[in-house]
């Protein structure tokens, strides 16, 4: 700096405040020019301090920007940045032995603090005015300060890396630098909070406030790990400014950056919370709430709650600018839910820690979901057709869909349509109807269903709340949804139920069956009939023994219980049991579910059909080619026999004669060679297990001979399972003494062989069958003779005493279930791709042919409710008419015909009042 300039500065330093005020106009331009041209940091800082300390207090608010800030602040930023660069260049030589670099770095840090102090002086001066300044009057101030704050906080954040383990040499100055920057930011934010922009704000002012918001967002990303309070306060101000000037800035804000940063901060604080909670639990510190660890957990939980609530609030105000980021919100929801029970990867925490974590993160998720529900892009993300998630997010996704289902009842019609119907047109992003998406999601929760995970059940009056399985929880929520579902969405629901029952996963089909039965029971009797006819037609279409037949048959069996007597007879008339082609329907109906009239008709027709088939087979010379027809009717006969409670009933006696005729024609040699006879034998064994008390000893001997021959030849498993059921039933009878030598030794031998079988399935069923036999038999010698082998005896004793030999630990079981999942999915996919299944096209044809009856409320409205509804309608209409006439009185006269119509209404009201019901 020249001698002249130095003299000027020395002279000015001696001036009083009054002299500075008087000489302001002449000296300030020289000082600002001098500051701009200064080459050394010391000269710059000296000039800057003179301007801010001595002349700034005398500059009028309206002149601050043009005469001072726009000229000195950009230079201050440039100098500050050059100091930062110099530190980076010099820090390599920093050491306790090398004093010169250490002194240099300390001087630079002190100079940086002086610049920040000068900026703080500027902020305090502007804030000293009674009236809040216009943003135009100080526009350089926030911009330049935020740049310096960013550089400062970034340097503090990276200090450990920058100073390479030698930070202790400058730690005191770094701490002071951070405090000065902290104070400067606090003052700046307080100043900006006083400023207000209205709808007439200029583009430059709007641009400035947008720049401030984005600069603060940038600072937030830096200070997230520096200071919790600073981080929270910066975010609060950022959001506050965004909402304060919402109408001005909403089209200019980087909504994606803001919302994404909120999500990242929420997840970071949440995961830190979870880790701290686990550490506290493992260290057994949960009782010591005054420990540093517990206090840090509480602070982190508070930040987590802050970010969660802030995200919800931001989405609420700017949701239509955030549609591109719904995928991010969806992931946040899943990641948070995955860390809470009943998720398998959720940590086990104490009650106190869990409650704080719930309040911090789980509770706000419901509010978050409520804000996202109306957004089509969110629905497209959540219920997209090809949604693939990591295994730990499958259960959270399922629970998310359940939450959506629970909140839809209070949503507007357009939101309900968005979720309930799925995509309607080819140009839309494909999305599933909500109910179908929920069934699909439940299907993928294989491990959670097997464990099983437990959730809080519905509170019942007078009963404590209990934990229920995932199946139970979802079933209750689905049924509640059906109860409040608008009728317009019933066709979509019905199609979802059909699809769910016809898919391969049995437990998912059972869930759909439960919901379908509730739907039929909650609705009208006509609706139940419609559903039963639809199901029966689908059952009839299953020409092979496919999984679809099993699922639909189970549904049909349950639905018949819900039908009225007249409708059961209508089902009989629609699918008469006297026709062989309808037998696949009746083999899935429990006859005890039918009314007496319908039951008698079904039993009579099926027994008659069976007897006719057997007679035709006998008259035809007992040909093997006719056995398929015999097997068809035997399967239906089994259904009839299973429904009988008394062995003396006529149909039982008729069935016994039929079974006896067939047993006397069975030959073990032929059964082994011909699969069709194996099917016959299997049915005979199941029938005989029920009819055993009515069978003659000779027939039982013949049956045991066939079973003995087949067991020795290692026949198919399903045949052996039928044999075990027959053997277990023999405990119900007493074998006459003259036949005991033929039956009892063979019975003991068969039990001995089957109990020793190495197949786990057969072995388990053999244990069950033997225990049932042993419980009721009078021939105790069979029990002892069946257990001659010590190993078999030990297994039976362990089974009866419910001894578990090997107990699988929790972790091993979870790993096994995770390994099983892809195998199960592959098996189900193989089943569903079988060409012999009922096709979607066939299902669609059946559904379209059986058009459902119109839906109506289950309970009829009472007469009093009807009177109330109509009188409210009339009252509302008359008040509206009154308001219209009074409003038009000041404008023009009402139409001429109004008077006559009102007189007619008066007459009508008089007639109603004089009616006998009103009197």
């Amino acid at each position: 700096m020249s001698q002249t300039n130095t003299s000027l500065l020395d002279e000015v330093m001696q001036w009083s405040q009054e002299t500075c005020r008087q000489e302001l106009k002449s000296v300030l331009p020289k000082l600002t020019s001098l500051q701009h041209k200064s080459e050394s940091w010391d000269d710059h800082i000296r000039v800057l301090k003179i301007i801010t300390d001595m002349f700034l207090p005398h500059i009028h608010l309206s002149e601050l920007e043009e005469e001072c800030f726009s000229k000195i602040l950009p230079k201050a930023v440039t100098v500050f940045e050059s100091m930062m660069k110099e530190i980076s260049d010099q820090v390599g030589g920093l050491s306790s032995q090398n004093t010169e670099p250490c002194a240099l770095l300390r001087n630079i840090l002190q100079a940086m603090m002086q610049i920040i102090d000068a900026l703080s002086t500027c902020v305090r001066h502007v804030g000293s005015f009674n009236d809040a300044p216009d943003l135009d009057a100080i526009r350089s101030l926030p911009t330049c300060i935020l740049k310096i704050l960013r550089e400062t906080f970034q340097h503090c954040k990276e200090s450990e890396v920058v100073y390479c383990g030698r930070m202790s040499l400058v730690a005191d100055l770094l701490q002071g630098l951070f405090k000065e920057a902290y104070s400067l930011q606090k003052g700046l934010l307080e100043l900006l909070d006083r400023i207000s922009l209205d709808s007439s704000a200029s583009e430059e002012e709007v641009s400035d406030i947008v720049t401030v918001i984005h600069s603060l967002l940038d600072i937030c990303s830096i200070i997230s790990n520096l200071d919790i309070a600073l981080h929270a306060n910066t975010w609060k101000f950022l959001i506050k400014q965004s909402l304060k000037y919402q109408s001005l800035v909403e089209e200019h804000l980087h909504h994606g950056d803001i919302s994404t940063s909120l999500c990242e901060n929420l997840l970071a604080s949440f995961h830190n919370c979870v880790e701290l909670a686990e550490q506290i639990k493992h260290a057994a510190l949960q009782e010591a709430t005054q420990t540093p660890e517990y206090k840090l957990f509480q602070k982190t939980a508070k930040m987590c709650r802050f970010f969660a609530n802030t995200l919800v609030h931001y989405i609420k105000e700017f949701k239509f600018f955030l549609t591109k980021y719904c995928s991010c919100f969806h992931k946040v929801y899943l990641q948070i839910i995955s860390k809470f029970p009943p998720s398998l990867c959720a940590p086990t925490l104490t009650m106190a820690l869990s409650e704080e974590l719930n309040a911090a993160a789980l509770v706000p998720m419901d509010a978050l979901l409520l804000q996202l529900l109306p957004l089509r892009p969110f629905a497209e993300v959540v219920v997209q057709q090809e949604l693939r998630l990591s295994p730990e997010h499958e259960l959270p996704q399922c629970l998310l869909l359940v939450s959506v289902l629970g909140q839809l009842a209070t949503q507007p019609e357009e939101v309900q349509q968005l979720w309930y119907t799925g995509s309607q047109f080819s140009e839309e992003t494909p999305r599933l109807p909500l109910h179908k998406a929920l069934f699909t999601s439940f299907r993928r929760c294989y491990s959670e269903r097997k464990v099983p995970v437990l959730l809080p059940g519905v509170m019942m009056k007078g009963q404590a709340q209990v934990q229920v399985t995932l199946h139970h929880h979802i079933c209750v929520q689905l049924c509640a949804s059906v109860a409040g579902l608008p009728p317009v969405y019933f066709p979509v629901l019905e199609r979802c139920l059909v699809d769910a029952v016809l898919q391969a996963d049995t437990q998912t089909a059972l869930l759909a069956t439960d919901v379908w039965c509730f739907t039929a029971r909650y609705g009208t009797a006509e609706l139940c009939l419609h559903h039963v006819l639809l199901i029966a037609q689908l059952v009839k279409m299953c020409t092979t023994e496919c999984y679809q037949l099993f699922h639909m048959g189970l549904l049909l069996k349950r639905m018949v219980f819900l039908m009225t007597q007249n409708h059961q007879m209508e089902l009989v008339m629609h699918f008469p049991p006297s026709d062989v082609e309808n037998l696949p329907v009746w083999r899935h109906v429990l006859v005890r579910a039918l009314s007496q009239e319908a039951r008698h008709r079904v039993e009579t027709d099926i027994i008659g059909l069976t007897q006719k088939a057997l007679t035709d087979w006998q008259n035809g010379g007992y040909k093997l080619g006719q056995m398929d027809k015999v097997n068809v009717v035997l399967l239906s006969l089994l259904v009839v026999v299973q429904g009988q409670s008394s062995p003396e009933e006529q149909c039982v006696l008729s069935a016994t004669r039929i079974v006896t005729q067939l047993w006397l024609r069975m030959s073990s040699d032929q059964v082994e060679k011909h699969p069709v006879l194996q099917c016959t034998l299997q049915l005979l064994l199941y029938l005989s297990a029920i009819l055993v008390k009515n069978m003659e000893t000779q027939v039982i001997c013949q049956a045991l001979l066939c079973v003995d021959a087949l067991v020795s030849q290692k026949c198919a498993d399903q045949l052996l399972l039928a044999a075990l059921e027959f053997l277990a039933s023999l405990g119900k009878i007493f074998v006459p003494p003259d036949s005991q030598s033929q039956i009892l030794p063979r019975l003991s031998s068969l039990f001995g062989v089957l109990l020793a079988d190495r197949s786990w399935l057969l072995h388990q069923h053999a244990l069950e069958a033997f225990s049932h036999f042993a419980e009721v038999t009078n021939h105790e010698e069979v029990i002892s003779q069946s257990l001659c082998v010590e190993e078999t005896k030990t297994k039976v004793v362990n089974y009866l005493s419910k001894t578990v030999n090997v107990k699988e630990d929790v972790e091993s079981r979870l790993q096994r279930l995770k390994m099983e999942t892809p195998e199960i999915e592959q098996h189900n996919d193989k089943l569903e791709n079988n060409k012999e299944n009922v096709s979607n096209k066939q299902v669609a044809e059946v559904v379209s042919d059986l058009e459902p009856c119109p839906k109506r409320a289950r309970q009829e409205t009472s007469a009093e409710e009807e009177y109330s509804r109509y009188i409210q309608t009339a009252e509302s209409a008359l008040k509206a008419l009154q308001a219209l006439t009074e409003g038009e009185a000041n404008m023009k006269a009402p139409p001429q015909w109004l008077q006559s119509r009102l007189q007619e209404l008066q007459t009508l009201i008089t007639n109603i009042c004089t009616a006998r019901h009103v009197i």
Side-chain angles (χ1 to χ4, degrees):
M1 183 176 290
S2 67
Q3 187 66 33
T4 303
N5 293 334
T6 302
S7 299
L8 175 62
L9 295 179
D10 291 340
E11 179 184 352
V12 169
M13 289 290 292
Q14 304 302 318
W15 288 358
S16 65
Q17 286 293 319
E18 180 60 24
T19 304
C20 291
R21 186 185 64 80
Q22 294 174 356
E23 299 296 330
L24 176 65
K25 295 295 184 180
S26 61
V27 176
L28 183 59
K30 296 178 182 180
L31 291 175
T32 55
S33 176
L34 189 60
Q35 185 255 1
H36 187 73
K37 296 177 181 178
S38 60
E39 297 178 357
S40 71
W41 296 336
D42 290 340
D43 292 342
H44 170 268
I45 293 174
R46 185 183 182 190
V47 175
L48 181 63
K49 293 291 287 181
I50 289 173
I51 295 173
T52 56
D53 292 345
M54 302 181 68
F55 289 91
L56 186 62
H58 307 293
I59 304 175
H60 192 272
L61 181 59
S62 62
E63 298 175 340
L64 273 177
E65 175 65 19
E66 185 177 350
E67 299 297 331
C68 184
F69 288 164
S70 63
K71 296 178 179 179
I72 67 171
L73 296 183
K75 177 65 176 180
V77 174
T78 303
V79 171
F80 196 89
E81 290 174 344
S82 67
M83 290 178 176
M84 285 292 185
K85 186 177 183 303
E86 185 66 18
I87 289 177
S88 300
D89 294 340
Q90 297 294 331
V91 76
L94 183 65
S95 68
S96 57
Q97 292 79 22
N98 194 347
T99 58
E100 185 176 345
C102 181
L104 174 61
L105 290 176
R106 290 183 66 85
N107 288 336
I108 296 174
L109 290 172
Q110 288 172 342
M112 292 166 64
M113 292 172 64
Q114 288 180 307
I115 293 177
I116 292 177
D117 181 64
L119 296 177
S120 296
T121 301
C122 296
V123 172
R124 285 193 296 272
H125 172 64
V126 176
S128 66
F129 293 101
N130 292 330
D131 297 329
D134 292 333
L135 193 56
D136 272 346
I138 59 167
R139 67 181 314 176
S140 299
L141 185 65
T143 304
C144 293
I145 287 178
L146 290 171
K147 288 180 180 179
I148 287 178
L149 288 175
R150 186 194 183 286
E151 293 290 332
T152 303
F153 291 137
Q154 185 73 39
H155 185 74
C156 293
K157 182 177 183 179
E158 298 174 349
S159 55
E160 291 188 4
V161 176
V162 171
Y163 294 98
C164 304
R166 296 179 289 275
M167 195 173 68
S168 59
L169 299 175
V170 293
D172 58 329
L173 293 177
L174 284 174
Q175 187 176 11
L177 183 67
F178 179 80
K179 288 182 178 179
E180 290 290 338
Y182 194 129
S183 178
L184 174 60
Q185 176 171 312
K186 181 181 179 182
L188 176 64
L189 299 188
E190 289 174 352
L191 174 62
L192 291 173
D193 197 30
R194 293 177 57 198
I195 297 174
S196 295
L197 300 180
D198 56 26
S199 57
S200 62
S202 64
E203 292 184 6
E204 290 77 10
E205 288 178 314
V206 173
S207 177
D208 288 342
I209 203 66
V210 169
T211 300
V212 167
I213 293 173
H214 290 159
S215 299
L216 288 173
L217 177 63
D218 197 18
I219 289 175
C220 282
S221 66
I222 297 171
I223 62 177
S224 58
N225 296 323
L226 283 178
D227 186 274
I228 291 180
L230 177 64
H231 192 208
N233 290 331
T234 306
W235 264 111
K236 285 179 182 177
F237 184 82
L238 187 157
I239 299 299
K240 184 178 180 181
Q241 293 294 297
S242 301
L243 298 179
K244 182 178 180 180
Y245 304 115
Q246 182 173 356
S247 60
L248 297 175
V249 303
E250 61 183 2
E251 294 184 356
H252 306 285
L253 290 180
H254 297 163
H255 294 289
D257 295 338
I258 295 174
S259 60
T260 302
S261 184
L262 279 173
C263 291
E264 291 171 353
N265 279 280
L266 168 58
L267 289 176
S269 57
F270 174 70
H271 290 309
N272 288 339
C273 238
V274 173
E275 291 177 6
L276 286 169
E278 290 185 286
Q279 292 172 12
I280 291 171
K281 178 179 178 295
H282 292 153
L285 298 173
Q286 59 269 21
E287 300 300 330
T289 56
Q290 299 304 314
T291 60
E293 292 83 358
Y294 198 92
K295 289 182 178 179
L296 180 58
F297 167 77
Q298 289 180 315
K299 287 182 180 179
T300 310
K302 188 176 180 181
M303 284 298 292
C304 179
R305 182 164 55 250
F306 164 74
F307 281 118
N309 292 331
T310 301
L311 178 62
V312 172
H313 193 47
Y314 193 81
I315 293 174
K316 178 182 179 181
E317 298 299 332
F318 298 101
K319 64 178 62 176
F320 298 110
F321 294 90
L322 298 172
T323 54
K324 295 180 181 178
Y325 313 103
C326 287
S327 177
C328 178
F329 304 144
H330 180 223
K331 291 176 182 177
V332 167
Y333 189 101
L334 297 184
Q335 289 186 59
I336 289 178
I337 298 299
S338 69
K339 294 300 181 182
F340 288 94
S343 176
L344 297 178
C345 58
T348 304
L349 303 176
T350 62
M351 180 65 71
L353 293 172
S354 295
E355 287 178 354
E356 291 203 43
L357 202 56
N358 284 357
L362 191 60
V363 172
M365 288 301 101
D366 286 335
L368 175 68
L369 183 58
L370 192 61
Q371 296 303 323
L372 295 172
L373 275 183
L375 302 183
R376 178 177 294 270
F378 182 70
E380 291 171 350
V381 168
V382 173
V383 292
Q384 58 180 284
Q385 287 186 349
E386 300 298 329
L387 182 62
R388 292 297 173 188
L389 300 169
S390 56
E392 64 270 18
H393 288 162
E394 292 291 2
L395 178 62
Q397 169 71 7
C398 191
L399 298 178
L400 164 61
L401 295 172
V402 172
S403 296
V404 172
L405 198 67
Q407 293 190 9
L408 275 186
T410 58
Q411 293 297 308
E413 182 180 351
E414 59 270 17
V415 178
Q416 292 183 347
Q417 184 179 15
L418 172 67
W419 288 91
Y420 282 138
T421 60
S423 52
Q424 301 292 301
F425 307 102
S426 57
E427 60 269 20
E428 290 186 85
T429 301
R431 65 182 192 280
L432 299 174
L434 178 59
H435 292 98
K436 184 171 184 177
L438 186 49
F439 285 122
T440 302
S441 181
F442 176 77
R443 171 175 172 167
R444 291 173 179 162
C445 297
Y446 175 78
S447 300
E448 288 81 2
R449 289 186 274 134
K450 287 290 185 180
V451 169
V453 299
L454 299 176
L455 298 99
V458 177
M459 292 288 288
M460 303 293 289
K461 292 183 179 179
Q463 298 181 7
Q465 188 175 37
V466 296
Q467 297 288 98
V468 299
T469 63
L470 182 63
H471 180 112
H472 187 144
H473 176 74
I474 295 179
C475 183
V476 170
Q477 299 301 321
L478 280 169
C479 291
S481 167
V482 170
L485 190 68
V488 68
Y489 302 118
F490 263 73
V492 181
L493 171 66
E494 290 169 348
R495 182 57 200 233
C496 292
L497 291 174
V498 170
D499 290 342
V501 172
L502 292 179
Q503 53 81 63
D505 184 73
T506 299
Q507 193 170 357
T508 305
L510 287 174
L511 176 62
T513 298
D514 291 338
V515 177
W516 202 331
C517 289
F518 174 84
T519 304
R521 187 175 183 182
Y522 185 82
T524 63
E526 290 77 11
L527 178 63
C528 182
L529 172 63
H530 159 68
H531 285 168
V532 171
L533 294 178
L534 168 64
I535 297 162
Q537 188 60 40
L538 291 173
V539 166
K540 190 175 176 180
M541 288 168 55
C542 297
T543 55
T544 59
E545 292 296 325
C546 59
Y547 72 89
Q548 293 169 312
L549 179 61
F550 171 73
H551 294 169
M552 297 303 298
L554 176 62
L555 177 58
L556 178 61
K557 186 178 298 184
R558 292 177 58 179
M559 291 282 279
V560 170
F561 277 95
L562 308 177
M563 302 178 72
T564 65
Q565 295 184 10
N566 291 338
H567 287 161
Q568 285 182 348
M569 283 304 300
E570 193 169 336
L571 175 65
V572 173
M573 299 300 293
H574 204 281
F575 298 96
S578 56
D579 294 343
V580 175
E581 63 179 12
N582 292 326
L583 290 182
V585 173
W586 295 105
R587 74 180 57 154
H588 294 286
V589 175
L590 291 177
V591 292
R592 66 172 180 270
L594 300 173
S595 64
Q596 185 174 359
E597 182 183 4
R599 177 175 179 173
H600 178 72
R601 169 73 182 275
V602 171
E603 290 175 349
T604 303
D605 285 359
I606 290 179
I607 290 176
L609 204 58
T610 306
Q611 189 62 62
K612 181 179 182 302
L614 190 60
T615 302
D616 291 344
W617 177 56
Q618 292 171 339
N619 294 338
Y622 302 102
K623 293 181 180 179
L624 286 174
Q626 297 294 317
M627 287 308 297
D628 280 329
K629 296 181 179 179
V630 174
N631 290 343
V632 168
V633 293
L634 283 181
L635 191 56
S636 300
L637 180 64
L638 179 60
V639 174
V640 171
V641 171
Q642 286 172 335
Q644 306 309 312
S645 56
S646 172
E648 286 78 26
E649 292 189 22
Q650 183 59 44
C651 62
V652 173
L653 300 176
S654 300
T656 302
R657 287 195 297 270
I658 293 171
V659 169
T660 299
Q661 289 177 283
L662 286 168
W663 271 124
L664 296 177
R665 295 295 307 177
M666 295 300 292
S667 167
S668 57
D669 294 336
Q670 288 182 318
V671 170
E672 183 183 346
K673 296 177 183 178
H674 303 289
V676 67
L677 290 180
Q678 293 178 15
C679 181
T680 306
L681 178 60
Q682 181 180 341
L683 291 169
L684 283 176
L685 288 169
Y686 281 124
L687 284 164
S688 300
I690 300 171
L691 303 172
V692 66
K693 291 184 178 181
N694 296 74
M695 292 172 59
E696 297 179 359
T697 306
Q698 177 189 358
V699 179
I700 294 175
C701 289
Q702 177 67 16
L704 286 174
L705 283 173
C706 289
V707 171
D708 196 8
L710 290 172
V711 168
S712 62
Q713 297 297 325
K714 285 292 182 183
C715 60
D717 286 351
Q718 62 265 29
L719 201 52
L720 293 179
L721 293 175
L724 282 169
E725 188 157 338
F726 172 65
L727 295 179
S729 71
L730 294 178
K732 302 174 185 177
I733 64 170
F734 178 78
V735 181
D738 56 346
S739 302
Q740 289 181 1
S741 59
Q742 296 178 319
I743 294 177
L744 299 186
R746 181 165 282 113
L747 187 56
S748 301
S749 174
L750 287 170
F751 270 127
V753 172
L754 292 171
L755 285 169
D757 199 286
R758 296 299 177 184
S759 167
W760 69 268
L761 178 64
L762 288 174
H763 178 66
Q764 181 66 25
H765 279 269
L767 290 171
E768 292 179 9
F770 185 74
S771 65
H772 290 321
F773 175 86
E775 285 177 3
V776 296
T777 187
N778 290 316
H779 303 289
E780 295 183 359
E781 64 271 24
V782 176
I783 301 174
S784 57
Q785 292 171 8
S786 301
L787 303 178
C788 295
V789 179
E790 192 63 31
E791 182 181 1
T792 301
K793 182 178 180 180
T794 301
K795 289 180 179 179
V796 171
V797 171
N798 289 340
Y799 173 78
L800 295 175
S801 59
K802 300 181 180 180
T803 301
V804 179
N805 295 329
V806 180
K807 189 172 182 179
E808 191 176 27
D809 63 86
V810 175
E811 188 60 32
S812 299
R813 184 162 184 259
L814 287 178
Q815 291 301 320
R816 175 175 60 79
L817 290 174
K818 290 177 181 178
M819 293 175 63
E820 286 178 2
T821 301
E823 298 293 331
I824 296 294
E825 290 178 348
Q826 184 178 358
H827 173 70
N828 287 339
D829 290 342
K830 183 178 179 181
L831 288 177
E832 290 177 343
N833 292 328
N834 190 337
K835 294 181 180 179
E836 295 183 352
N837 291 340
V838 177
S839 67
N840 290 333
K841 182 179 179 181
Q842 291 173 303
V843 173
E845 291 174 351
V846 173
V847 173
S848 62
D849 289 342
L850 294 173
E851 187 65 28
C853 305
K855 278 71 176 180
R856 66 172 185 264
R858 179 175 180 165
Q859 295 181 345
E860 296 295 333
T861 306
S862 67
E864 183 177 349
E865 290 175 342
E866 289 189 33
Y867 278 113
S868 176
R869 185 171 70 252
Y870 289 133
I871 198 68
Q872 287 177 6
T873 302
E875 184 179 4
S876 299
L878 289 172
K879 286 182 177 180
L881 183 61
Q882 181 183 14
L884 183 62
T885 55
E886 291 175 352
E888 290 184 348
N890 299 326
M891 298 171 58
K892 57 181 180 179
Q896 296 179 356
W897 51 262
L898 180 61
Q899 186 66 31
S900 59
R901 294 296 300 274
L902 287 174
Q903 290 176 353
E904 292 175 4
L905 288 176
Q906 182 64 50
T907 303
L908 180 61
I909 292 173
T910 302
N911 292 337
I912 294 174
C913 292
T914 56
R916 63 184 181 87
H917 292 292
V918 178
I919 295 173

